[in-house]
Amino acid sequence: MAGLPHFTNSKASFNNYEPVFLNQFEVLITPPAGVVLPNSGFNGESILTQSVKSIGGLTVDIQPQSPVEQNYKFATRRYAGGEPSTTDLDLRIDFEVNLDDQNSMAVYKVLRQWADLIYNPLTGAMGLKTDYVGSMVISVFNKSGDVFRRIRIPSCFLSEDLKAMDLSYESSDIYILSASWKADYWEDLFL
């Protein structure tokens, strides 16, 4: 009697397989050389790492889109499309912004310096790609800290305006800074 809903018939249950929790990750962001990072935070982690709230846009499992069809009399044959819908990556990371012991929005300042390497609205200066690309490494791990997936993004840059501060006397929300990045390629490693 295969498939009966019993604990002993579930390999995941019987072998105590751990689920993949979506809150067990870390992203290490390395800005371009022209960005001055504040002193490392607790345990030597970057303030950018400590302030990450969420990551979106990790669509690294890409397949060709728009299947192709052929007909033979009344039969239809289908094939995968000839090209993927995209070969790049669009990421969005939300940061919780705190004031440090110098009364500075360190996370905002780092991302603003990065953005200024692309276009500085105060001077009109525009940078070259070699000046404004950084890198990221996103590690996904289990509750014991064992990494089972690592997405390495060796070249990325900020691609949209930093989220504005919408100030209001009627709000008690904290400032969540959303930033978007574009990446030309990535490496997806399953460990």
Side-chain angles (χ1 to χ4, degrees), residues 166-182:
D166 296 324
L167 304 175
S168 170
Y169 287 119
E170 297 176 358
S171 173
S172 61
D173 295 340
I174 63 171
Y175 180 38
I176 302 295
L177 175 58
S178 294
S180 297
W181 278 268
K182 293 233 181 251

Side-chain angles (χ1 to χ4, degrees), residues 110-128:
V110 167
L111 295 177
R112 175 63 192 264
Q113 287 176 44
W114 193 339
D116 285 349
L117 293 175
I118 298 168
Y119 171 70
N120 187 329
L122 301 178
T123 65
M126 297 185 77
L128 301 173

